[in-house]
């Protein structure tokens, strides 16, 4: 019989709706039930595309005996971390503080007051590799709760007090300057391996999208060839590796370097946010270099998102699972993407299979599991490009017949904001109005379904139905960023107005003393700690995303409160940038825009014309662009800036102090290029 999760909007929670576990969603009634029964709360946090979350569910949550024990001794709460990032952040901080590591699935045992006292991640069904079984953990926690309640209460209270006492480093309030950004670049240079093209050590390699944005902006502002070469090297390495889907486009979540042979093996889930960020990165790399491979990556990734992740309502789904059914009907990781030499021969014939195996690095031994290989490009300089394209098309057509990975259809506001920015700019750069249209449709969905009458965002929706949870700071920052990028491309001032609504909410409800920002609003549900984290992880931190949106909105409108708030938030970049540049890449990118102005570009003339396109292709960090007819424009930048002699005219300004207007696209390009151009 279905449990309470049957009413959820999260696909991840719905996956557990038929578990024998009597799951609750995160809600006050669950904790009231724990108080009534005098039992602890078991919190399980994961997400739809999480491989080990599915493993734990299959091994333990679907087991009748284990579920019966859980139901008898605990109130069990299931949370989708993508739907409730605030809950995830608070308790992950506790897990990492207690164990030195974290990850998903996250397993937390807490009092009915929400105070945690025991933590873990994945637990196997039997003791393994020094790990207790999940049943042993359950029995141990129940025994402690029953016989050592005072001790449990003391531990929970101390953990909660320690979390509440933690202070986030906000910096001195001073703005990052040339010295901090140069130190950040030096730190990245030390972590960069020019031989492999990868950034950072260790065996797990995540795509450093926001760091690359910083490197491209730093090069545009300073002419640093080292920054550009590092950005180009990282992008080339990712595109050649198994991180990139060599047949269908788009990027997997991360790659693992196998210690035995050094081969890179991806974790096969495909996340919307990774692909949105990387689509924009490669479009910006093309803008800086004219690289054909960057152009291909941007367009293929954009097409992947539209083809595989777009929902019927016009938004974009969160992810594709890592797992799918193989030819034997087993649900295994990577089955949709991997190939054996025999499978190549079956599709291509003997001669082309030999070519494809060499081109894509497919071996008899395999680079993955059971003799299969993940496609990569060990030799991207193949001489027969037409043959390679034909082989790729035939393999893709054959792959389409395989069982497809599951899709998390949840629409997350923040990630759709990132996607809107990527599709709008990619469409504008490469003459693809269909991509701009898809971006506009996604933006319309956010306004229609996720924004209330007072511009308060809802975090998620599914199947055209808004979720119950309030948006967090990253939703406001990323959606505003998307709206501003869309407004720059389309010339429609309504997107500037919507971005203004959202940034006003940031000022009113997310901003604290000294420029610090919080991840949740001041009137949101109170957890054991109000989360705030300025460091970037897989996506821009809400803190730095909001700083960027505030800065851009101020550049469009001249609003001093927005500019002041952006500057206050960027104090953290001065503190963290030189020490941990890989973890505050978007903050560094926003700081580059601040040092450059950012420049304000008004194009009096037709949207989509030569002057407008030139402005959009300008490399000046964080430059804002307004285009259209001066009369009646909703863009303050266009006020009283007419066309000269009836010819489209561009005005380039900093802090609303303008250079001489120009009607020459080449002169405009020079004005928006690198400092030395």
């Amino acid at each position: 019989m279905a449990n309470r999760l049957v009413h959820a909007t999260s696909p991840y929670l719905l996956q557990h709706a038929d578990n024998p576990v009597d799951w609750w969603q995160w809600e006050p009634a669950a904790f009231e039930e724990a108080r009534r029964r005098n039992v602890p709360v078991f919190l399980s946090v994961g997400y739809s595309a999480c491989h080990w979350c599915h493993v734990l569910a299959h091994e333990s949550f679907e087991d009748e005996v284990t579920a019966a024990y859980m139901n008898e001794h605990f109130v069990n709460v299931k949370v989708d971390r993508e739907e409730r990032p605030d809950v995830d952040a608070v308790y992950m901080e506790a897990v990492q503080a207690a164990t030195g590591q974290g990850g998903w699935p996250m397993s937390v045992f807490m009092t009915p007051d929400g105070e945690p006292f025991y933590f873990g991640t994945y637990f196997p069904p039997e003791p393994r590799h020094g790990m207790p079984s999940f049943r042993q953990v359950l029995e141990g926690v129940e025994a402690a709760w029953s016989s050592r309640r005072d001790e449990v209460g003391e531990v929970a209270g101390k953990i909660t007090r320690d979390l509440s006492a933690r202070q986030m480093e906000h910096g001195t309030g001073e703005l990052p300057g040339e010295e901090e950004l140069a130190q950040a670049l030096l730190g990245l240079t030390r972590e960069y391996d020019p031989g492999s093209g990868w950034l950072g050590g260790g065996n797990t390699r995540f795509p450093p999208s926001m760091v690359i944005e910083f490197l491209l902006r730093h090069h545009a502002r300073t002419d640093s060839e080292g920054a550009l070469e590092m950005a180009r090297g990282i992008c080339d390495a990712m595109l050649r590796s198994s991180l990139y889907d060599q047949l269908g486009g788009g990027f997997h979540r991360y790659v693992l370097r196998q210690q035995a042979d050094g081969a890179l093996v991806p974790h096969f889930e495909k996340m919307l946010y990774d692909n949105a960020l990387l689509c924009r990165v490669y479009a910006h790399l093309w803008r800086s270099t004219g690289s054909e491979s960057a152009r291909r990556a941007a367009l293929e990734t954009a097409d992947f998102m539209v083809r595989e992740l777009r929902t019927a309502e016009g938004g974009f789904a969160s992810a594709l699972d890592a797992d799918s059914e193989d030819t034997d009907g087993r649900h295994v990781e990577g089955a949709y993407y991997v190939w054996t030499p025999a499978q190549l021969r079956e599709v291509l014939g003997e001669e082309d299979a030999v070519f494809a195996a060499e081109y894509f690095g497919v071996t008899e031994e395999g680079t993955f599991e059971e003799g299969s290989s993940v496609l990569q490009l060990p030799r991207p300089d193949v001489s027969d490009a037409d043959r390679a394209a034909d082989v790729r098309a035939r393999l893709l057509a054959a792959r389409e017949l395989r069982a497809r990975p599951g899709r998390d259809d949840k629409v997350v506001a923040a990630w759709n904001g990132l996607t809107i920015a990527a599709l709008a700019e990619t469409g504008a750069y490469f003459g693809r109005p269909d991509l701009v249209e898809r971006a506009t449709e996604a933006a319309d969905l956010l306004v229609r379904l996720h924004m209330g009458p007072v511009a308060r965002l809802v975090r998620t929706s599914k199947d055209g139905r808004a979720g119950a949870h309030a948006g967090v700071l990253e939703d406001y920052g990323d959606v505003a960023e998307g709206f501003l990028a869309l407004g720059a491309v389309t010339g429609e001032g309504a997107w500037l107005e919507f971005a203004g609504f959202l940034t006003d909410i940031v000022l009113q409800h997310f901003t604290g003393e000294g420029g610090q920002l919080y991840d949740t609003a001041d009137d949101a549900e109170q957890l054991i700690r109000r989360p705030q984290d300025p460091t970037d992880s897989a996506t821009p931190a809400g803190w730095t995303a909001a700083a960027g949106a505030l800065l851009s909105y101020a550049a469009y409108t001249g609003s001093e409160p927005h500019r002041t708030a952006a500057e206050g938030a960027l104090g953290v970049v001065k503190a963290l940038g030189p020490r941990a540049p890989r973890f505050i890449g978007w903050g560094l990118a926003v700081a580059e825009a601040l040092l450059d102005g950012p420049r304000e570009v008004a194009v009096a003339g037709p949207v989509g014309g030569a002057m407008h396109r030139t402005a959009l292709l300008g490399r000046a960090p964080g430059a804002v662009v307004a285009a259209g007819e001066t009369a009646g424009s909703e863009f303050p930048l266009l006020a009283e800036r007419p066309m000269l002699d009836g010819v489209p005219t561009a005005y380039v300004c900093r802090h609303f102090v303008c250079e001489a207007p120009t009607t020459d696209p080449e002169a405009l390009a020079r004005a928006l290029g690198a400092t030395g151009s």
Side-chain angles (χ1 to χ4, degrees):
M1 187 172 69
N3 57 44
R4 294 176 186 82
L5 301 187
V6 72
H7 302 296
T9 56
S10 159
Y12 174 65
L13 298 190
L14 290 171
Q15 289 169 1
H16 294 268
D18 292 322
N19 290 170
V21 178
D22 185 20
W23 290 115
W24 294 71
Q25 295 193 56
W26 180 277
E27 55 187 317
F31 294 90
E32 293 169 5
E33 176 69 4
R35 292 188 193 95
R36 185 187 70 79
R37 290 175 50 196
N38 194 24
V39 296
V41 173
F42 169 61
L43 171 66
S44 177
V45 181
Y47 58 103
S48 179
C50 167
H51 172 72
W52 288 103
C53 298
H54 295 308
V55 172
L56 178 61
H58 178 68
E59 293 173 341
S60 296
F61 301 153
E62 295 174 10
D63 179 72
E64 295 281 353
V65 175
T66 302
Y69 190 90
M70 294 171 66
N71 295 339
E72 180 180 356
H73 297 289
F74 303 91
V75 167
N76 304 288
V77 176
K78 175 61 74 172
V79 165
D80 181 344
R81 67 176 295 261
E82 297 170 352
E83 192 173 58
R84 290 300 303 265
D86 51 340
V87 173
D88 176 66
V90 166
Y91 289 101
M92 184 59 74
E93 186 177 8
V95 172
Q96 291 173 329
T99 67
Q101 59 187 8
W104 299 275
M106 177 169 63
S107 304
V108 180
F109 295 88
M110 62 182 74
T111 71
D113 293 324
E115 297 182 337
F117 60 86
Y118 188 79
F119 316 90
T121 52
Y122 164 77
F123 293 106
E126 304 293 339
R128 185 186 305 160
H129 306 304
M131 296 172 61
S133 70
F134 186 57
R135 180 59 180 263
Q136 287 174 327
V137 170
L138 294 174
E139 291 174 348
V141 170
E142 194 282 326
W145 182 264
S146 298
S147 61
R148 302 193 305 276
R149 181 74 57 83
D150 291 344
E151 180 183 334
V152 169
E154 290 176 6
V155 169
K158 183 179 186 305
I159 291 171
T160 301
R161 289 191 298 274
D162 288 347
L163 287 174
S164 299
R166 288 190 168 201
Q167 294 296 317
M168 183 61 61
E169 184 174 8
H170 304 130
T172 61
E174 299 178 9
L175 293 175
E178 295 284 358
E179 181 180 353
E180 288 79 22
L181 298 181
Q183 289 176 348
L185 178 62
L186 180 61
L188 293 170
T189 302
R190 289 169 176 160
E191 294 191 62
Y192 176 61
D193 177 8
S196 69
W198 290 95
L199 185 67
N203 292 322
T204 305
R205 307 293 174 87
F206 290 88
S209 311
M210 293 146 284
V211 166
I212 300 169
E213 287 284 1
F214 160 61
L215 293 172
L216 292 174
R217 288 186 177 190
H218 189 76
H219 165 256
R221 189 178 61 82
T222 68
D223 278 343
S224 167
E225 286 302 317
L228 180 61
E229 286 309 306
M230 202 185 316
R232 192 201 303 263
I234 297 168
C235 286
D236 286 348
M238 291 191 298
L239 193 57
R240 292 195 310 270
S241 77
S242 58
L243 183 73
Y244 187 68
D245 180 354
Q246 302 295 339
L247 298 184
F251 292 83
H252 299 296
R253 182 67 193 89
Y254 59 83
V255 287
L256 292 169
R257 183 176 293 279
Q258 294 182 334
Q259 295 181 352
D261 57 8
L264 295 176
V265 174
H267 187 49
F268 290 93
E269 61 188 347
K270 282 182 168 181
M271 310 302 297
L272 176 63
Y273 52 73
D274 283 321
N275 285 281
L277 288 165
L278 287 165
C279 176
R280 201 178 188 193
V281 159
Y282 281 94
H284 290 173
L285 178 63
W286 172 84
R287 185 175 63 179
S288 294
T289 65
S291 163
E292 177 56 32
S293 63
R295 177 184 181 277
R296 177 174 68 86
L299 285 171
E300 288 181 355
T301 303
D303 286 337
F304 155 73
M305 289 190 288
V306 171
R307 183 181 68 248
E308 303 286 345
L309 295 176
R310 187 168 178 267
T311 69
E313 295 74 31
F316 288 85
S318 297
L320 296 181
D321 287 355
D323 303 356
S324 59
E325 288 187 2
D326 66 6
T327 54
D328 296 324
R330 300 175 302 168
H331 204 65
V332 296
E333 186 177 10
Y336 186 69
Y337 300 101
V338 298
W339 294 84
T340 64
Q343 289 171 327
L344 294 181
R345 288 192 293 270
E346 182 180 351
V347 174
L348 302 173
E350 188 69 38
E351 189 174 338
D352 280 346
V354 172
F355 171 84
E358 182 178 2
Y359 182 65
F360 288 120
V362 177
T363 66
E364 291 292 341
E365 299 79 14
T367 59
F368 186 52
E369 297 174 353
E370 300 180 1
S372 63
S373 295
V374 189
L375 304 189
Q376 53 191 313
L377 293 182
R379 293 180 56 247
D381 56 343
V382 63
S383 58
D384 195 341
D386 290 340
R387 187 180 188 186
D390 175 68
V391 163
R392 179 183 286 112
R394 289 156 64 194
L395 290 176
L396 178 60
R399 195 180 75 176
E400 290 290 325
L401 303 177
R402 295 178 175 181
R404 303 183 66 82
R407 189 172 84 165
D408 184 335
D409 284 331
K410 176 175 74 271
V411 172
V412 176
W415 307 348
N416 274 255
L418 298 174
T419 306
I420 290 163
L423 293 181
E425 291 182 352
T426 301
Y429 295 170
F430 303 120
R432 288 282 302 275
D434 59 306
L435 296 180
V436 179
E437 187 175 347
R438 299 294 87 75
T440 302
E441 289 165 351
D444 285 338
L445 177 70
L446 293 183
V447 171
R448 185 174 71 253
L449 194 60
H450 286 247
M451 285 179 68
V454 291
R456 300 301 289 269
L457 278 172
V458 172
R459 169 73 174 172
T460 65
S461 67
K462 183 180 182 296
D463 299 331
R465 182 161 65 100
H469 304 297
V472 295
L473 182 61
E474 71 162 346
D475 294 306
Y476 287 85
D478 289 336
V479 172
E481 173 83 13
F483 286 172
L484 292 172
L486 185 60
V489 167
T490 63
E492 296 177 4
W495 299 118
L496 175 64
E497 184 177 2
F498 286 131
F501 294 153
L502 298 178
T503 53
D504 284 347
I505 296 295
V506 172
L507 295 181
Q508 296 163 14
H509 294 287
F510 290 88
T511 305
E513 297 180 1
Q516 63 179 304
L517 295 170
Y518 289 91
D519 292 329
T520 54
D522 54 7
D523 54 359
E525 177 187 354
Q526 292 189 359
L527 304 174
I528 58 172
R529 170 181 171 86
R530 189 179 181 190
Q532 58 174 174
D533 186 356
T535 58
D536 301 322
S537 55
T539 58
W543 188 307
T544 56
L550 289 164
L551 184 65
S552 295
Y553 184 76
Y556 269 114
T557 63
S559 168
E560 280 302 321
H562 291 79
R563 174 89 183 191
T564 299
E567 291 178 348
L570 289 175
V572 73
V573 179
K574 182 179 179 68
L576 296 181
R579 300 203 319 264
R582 272 203 298 143
F583 301 100
I584 197 159
W586 190 248
L588 291 165
V590 176
E592 287 288 346
L594 181 74
L595 263 63
D596 198 63
R599 300 183 213 192
E600 307 128 9
V601 187
V603 177
V607 172
M611 292 295 280
H612 182 207
R613 176 174 165 78
T614 299
L616 293 173
L617 290 174
R619 295 182 292 128
V624 301
V625 177
E629 301 294 333
T630 300
S633 174
E634 297 174 270
F635 289 102
L637 286 182
L638 286 171
E640 300 180 5
R641 290 186 173 130
M643 291 192 292
L644 300 181
D645 300 324
V647 178
T649 304
Y651 301 78
V652 179
C653 315
R654 280 189 177 94
H655 307 303
F656 287 80
V657 176
C658 301
E659 302 173 9
T662 181
T663 58
D664 180 3
E666 292 185 4
L668 176 60
R670 288 193 298 272
L672 295 177
T675 301
S677 61

